């Protein structure tokens, strides 16, 4: 933990130095410049509106994506024969560049849906893979025990497979944080009314470098907070459900 | 079941477990490897049989076949005149293995109650408490498995095996990973528990001492593929005491069986 904090501090210090002395040119502002720039009431309100829109998309994306990921993993657990089909479908969806999917979502779901849809898609894949792994995590000795006690498939799922998968599910929620935020921002590029993604695109097109980096920083902070919060839950789950 | 009915049933000495010409081979990189060869044993109702053999002789495999965790390649295993798998399916089998397989997210008391839940029965809390006190874990009922010592976990796993008053108890080196002193102590407790319940029991072990102390009959298996080498009736009455283990007869049998095992171990090394 101490090493991690030190690493972050070093990174931030390097960023500040590079920005202050323009070591890599004018497109790299220092952190203090970004903070001072953002600290005016009108800009705070601008960032706030954008953050609220993106956070909402990330939240809904998590809900939809996690539910879909759990449903996919449950399908595979109940019908092992479907595994190959489901795995390949999930992998193909994940391998398709989201840029190509954005227009598709606009056609299918309407203009405002792309941020939630792309966030959900990214969350889905991570949750599907991690829960699938979790459902196979119970050691052989425990399966043998359940079989010897005559447990049905349903009771084995309920009392062995699902509890064994809980820590993996939370690992999945943690790992899904950055992809969820990136998905929401990318989705906002397809004509969302507001959001950090919208701010990033318009700042880029108008060469407002400091505004751009402020939005990027906010997006990173959202990622990091989610990542850390799910990390805490994950550790609790491992303490309870792990050996 | 009423106690007297249970005793009556046992007096008939019908074979509770009947193993007829059982062989088992595994596929190892496309090549069949024989683990067991033409095993035939009858275990009487209420009898305690120890399977003794060098490591890798297939004694655990034989136990897994009885638990219907695996299928024999040939031959028949019947328990109470029905296929072995039916006993497990009807929740009348108790098992405890070297890996205690306690669920880390359940308390000790809930782990002992697990067989009730897996059978879809209401948990008999009085029975769970009785078992916990039988194995000396009453004070640890609400503890998690990881808070307990290795010996305590094994005792919990034996209590769990007994929860539904099974017809057959299968034990695979339940104390194998413990130190000698704890192991001896738990063997004493196992005998006491077994005498109170008198369930048809098969114990897999590589300890001659343990087999002689606990079993009515010892089946000695040869090295791979496992074949029955000898069947020894243990002449000691019950309850067995530590004094008994110091008698000349005990030592004689112990030496005899140890020699047989040592011979087998050398065979296995030579092969």
């Amino acid at each position: 933990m101490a090493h991690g904090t030190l690493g972050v501090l070093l990174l931030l210090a390097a960023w500040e130095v590079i920005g202050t002395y323009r070591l890599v040119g004018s497109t790299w502002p220092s952190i203090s410049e970004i903070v001072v720039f953002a600290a005016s009431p009108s800009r705070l309100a601008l960032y706030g509106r954008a953050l609220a829109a993106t956070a909402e998309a990330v939240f809904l994306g998590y809900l939809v994506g996690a539910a879909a990921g759990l449903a996919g993993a449950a399908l595979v657990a109940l019908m092992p024969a479907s595994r190959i089909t489901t795995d390949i479908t999930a992998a193909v969806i994940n391998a398709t560049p989201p840029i190509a999917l954005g227009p598709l979502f606009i056609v299918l779901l309407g203009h405002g849906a792309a941020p939630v849809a792309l966030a959900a898609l990214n969350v889905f894949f991570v949750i599907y893979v991690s829960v699938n792994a979790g459902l196979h995590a119970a050691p052989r000795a425990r399966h043998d025990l359940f079989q010897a006690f005559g447990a049905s498939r349903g009771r084995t799922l309920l009392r062995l497979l699902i509890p064994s998968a809980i820590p993996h599910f939370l690992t999945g929620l943690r790992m899904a944080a950055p992809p969820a935020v990136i998905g929401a921002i990318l989705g906002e590029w397809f004509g969302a009314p507001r959001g950090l993604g919208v701010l990033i695109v318009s700042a880029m097109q108008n060469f407002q470098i400091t505004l751009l980096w402020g939005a990027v920083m906010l997006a990173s902070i959202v990622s990091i907070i989610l990542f850390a919060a799910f990390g805490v839950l994950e550790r609790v789950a491992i303490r309870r459900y792990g050996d | 079941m009423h106690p007297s009915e249970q005793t009556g049933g046992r007096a008939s000495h019908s074979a509770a477990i009947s193993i007829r010409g059982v062989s088992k081979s595994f596929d190892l990189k496309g090549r069949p490897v024989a683990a067991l060869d033409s095993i035939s044993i009858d275990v009487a109702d209420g009898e305690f049989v120890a399977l003794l053999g060098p490591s890798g002789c297939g004694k655990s495999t034989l136990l897994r076949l009885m638990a219907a965790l695996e299928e024999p390649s040939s031959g028949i295993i019947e328990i109470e005149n029905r296929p072995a798998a039916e006993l497990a399916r009807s929740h009348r089998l108790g098992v405890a293995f070297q890996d205690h397989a306690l669920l880390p997210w359940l308390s000790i008391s809930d782990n002992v109650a697990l067989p009730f839940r897996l059978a879809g029965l209401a948990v008999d809390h009085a029975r769970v408490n009785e078992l916990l006190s039988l194995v000396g874990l009453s004070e640890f009922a609400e503890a998690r498995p990881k808070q307990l010592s290795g010996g305590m976990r094994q005792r919990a796993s034996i209590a769990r095996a007994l929860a539904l008053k099974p017809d057959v108890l299968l034990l695979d080196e339940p104390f194998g990973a413990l130190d000698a002193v704890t192991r001896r102590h738990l063997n004493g407790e196992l005998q006491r528990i077994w005498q109170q319940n008198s369930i048809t029991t098969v114990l897999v072990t590589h300890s001659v001492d343990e087999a002689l102390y606990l079993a009515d009959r010892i089946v000695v298996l040869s090295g791979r593929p496992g074949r029955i080498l000898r069947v020894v009736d243990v002449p000691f009455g019950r309850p067995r005491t530590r004094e008994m283990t110091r008698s000349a007869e005990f030592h004689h049998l112990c030496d005899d069986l140890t020699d047989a095992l040592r011979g087998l171990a050398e065979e296995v090394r030579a092969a």
Side-chain angles (χ1 to χ4, degrees):
Chain A
M1 195 67 198
H3 283 88
T5 316
L6 186 69
V8 171
L9 287 177
L10 280 174
L11 194 73
L12 292 176
W15 184 345
E16 184 70 19
V17 170
I18 291 168
T20 307
Y21 296 100
R22 295 280 183 264
L23 296 179
V24 292
S26 59
T27 56
W28 189 310
S30 70
I31 296 171
S32 51
E33 264 176 85
I34 298 167
V35 172
V36 168
F37 172 84
S40 83
S42 66
R43 291 199 188 109
L44 277 179
L46 177 70
Y47 279 129
R49 279 195 303 275
L51 179 63
T54 303
E56 190 190 332
V58 168
F59 176 72
L60 292 175
Y62 252 100
L63 283 185
V64 175
L70 285 171
L75 179 79
V76 170
L78 294 170
M79 296 195 299
S82 69
R83 167 131 206 197
I84 292 173
T85 318
T86 320
D87 273 5
I88 291 173
T89 311
V92 167
I93 293 172
N94 188 55
T96 310
I99 288 284
L101 294 174
L104 193 70
F105 284 130
I106 290 169
V107 172
L108 289 176
L109 304 170
H111 251 286
V116 176
L118 285 181
L121 201 64
N122 286 349
V123 173
F124 159 77
F125 187 72
V126 179
I127 297 297
Y128 172 75
V129 170
S130 63
V131 173
N132 241 339
L135 290 172
H136 289 86
R140 161 111 180 259
R142 290 181 199 157
H143 280 285
D144 286 350
L145 184 87
F146 271 61
Q147 196 185 332
F149 281 128
S152 63
R153 281 178 65 113
R155 292 206 177 97
T156 305
L157 181 69
L158 190 69
R159 299 200 176 270
L160 180 61
L161 304 190
I162 290 176
S164 303
I166 287 173
H168 292 77
F169 174 53
L170 284 159
T171 306
L173 287 176
R174 176 170 61 87
M175 301 304 283
V181 174
I182 289 170
I185 286 174
L186 210 59
E188 286 165 355
W189 293 359
F190 296 96
R194 65 178 70 84
L196 292 175
V198 178
L199 208 57
I200 288 170
V201 168
S202 73
M204 209 152 51
Q205 284 162 351
N206 299 305
F207 208 70
Q208 290 175 284
I209 300 300
T210 322
L211 180 72
L212 168 70
W213 277 99
V216 169
M217 265 176 83
L218 270 180
S220 304
I221 288 168
V222 171
S223 262
I224 289 164
I225 288 173
L226 277 175
F227 195 84
F230 283 125
V232 170
L233 288 180
E234 182 191 2
R235 275 196 294 282
V236 171
I238 288 172
R239 240 196 328 269
R240 185 172 165 90
Y241 292 93
D243 285 296
Chain B
M1 197 186 285
H2 194 271
S4 66
E5 283 173 39
Q6 233 172 12
T7 322
R10 197 170 307 116
S12 68
H13 275 279
S14 60
I17 305 175
S18 163
I19 299 171
R20 295 261 159 276
V22 162
S23 298
K24 175 76 182 170
S25 56
F26 291 101
D27 209 48
L28 193 72
K29 291 177 188 164
R31 209 164 49 91
V33 177
L36 292 168
D37 185 25
S38 326
I39 304 279
S40 294
I41 313 172
D42 276 343
V43 180
D45 198 6
E47 192 182 15
F48 194 129
V49 168
L51 298 177
L52 184 67
S55 49
C57 73
K59 54 193 190 297
S60 292
T61 303
L62 186 54
L63 201 82
R64 291 178 64 79
L65 292 172
M66 289 186 225
L69 293 172
E70 275 167 62
E71 298 262 314
S73 305
S74 63
I76 294 170
I77 298 190
E78 285 188 333
I79 300 181
E80 297 169 346
N81 301 316
R82 314 197 64 98
E86 280 191 27
L87 191 76
R89 230 176 283 136
S90 54
H91 319 290
R92 284 181 293 130
L93 172 66
V95 294
F97 300 134
Q98 186 167 346
D99 182 332
H100 56 76
L102 294 170
L103 302 180
W105 53 86
L106 297 181
S107 67
I108 291 303
S109 148
D110 282 336
N111 266 294
V112 173
L114 184 70
F116 286 100
R117 301 211 160 94
L118 297 187
L121 300 168
V123 175
D124 180 347
H125 292 285
R127 171 73 179 159
V128 171
N129 291 336
E130 175 197 326
L131 284 166
L132 286 172
S133 85
L134 187 69
V135 299
L137 289 176
S138 296
E139 285 168 60
F140 298 92
E142 295 315 310
R144 299 276 161 155
K146 69 182 135 193
Q147 294 170 298
L148 267 55
S149 70
M152 290 163 124
R153 286 181 210 151
Q154 290 303 343
R155 280 189 272 166
S157 100
I158 286 180
R160 179 182 56 191
L162 296 169
L164 297 177
K165 302 188 179 169
D167 294 1
V168 172
L169 186 60
L170 299 176
L171 306 172
D172 189 356
E173 304 241 20
F175 310 135
L178 305 177
D179 64 272
V181 175
T182 311
R183 186 170 183 163
R184 179 164 296 189
H185 173 67
L186 290 182
N187 278 332
E189 289 194 27
L190 179 59
Q191 185 195 208
R192 181 173 58 82
I193 292 165
W194 182 77
Q195 276 195 292
Q196 286 181 25
N197 292 270
S198 289
I199 302 162
T200 309
T201 302
V202 179
L203 167 77
V204 159
T205 183
H206 60 249
S207 157
V208 173
D209 196 81
E210 188 168 274
L212 275 173
Y213 181 71
L214 289 168
D216 296 319
R217 208 148 50 104
I218 299 175
V219 176
V220 183
L221 294 178
S222 70
R224 193 175 296 138
R227 292 192 187 94
I228 294 181
L229 197 74
R230 281 164 82 173
V231 178
V232 179
D233 282 307
V234 181
F236 309 112
R238 290 185 191 272
R240 292 181 183 157
T241 57
R242 280 294 147 199
E243 285 67 54
M244 179 216 88
T245 64
R246 285 187 276 273
S247 69
E249 195 179 11
F250 188 92
H251 278 293
H252 174 72
L253 271 171
C254 207
D255 290 346
D256 199 28
L257 286 167
T258 307
D259 283 346
L261 282 182
R262 190 176 299 137
L264 289 171
E266 274 156 20
E267 257 175 57
V268 170
R269 260 196 301 275

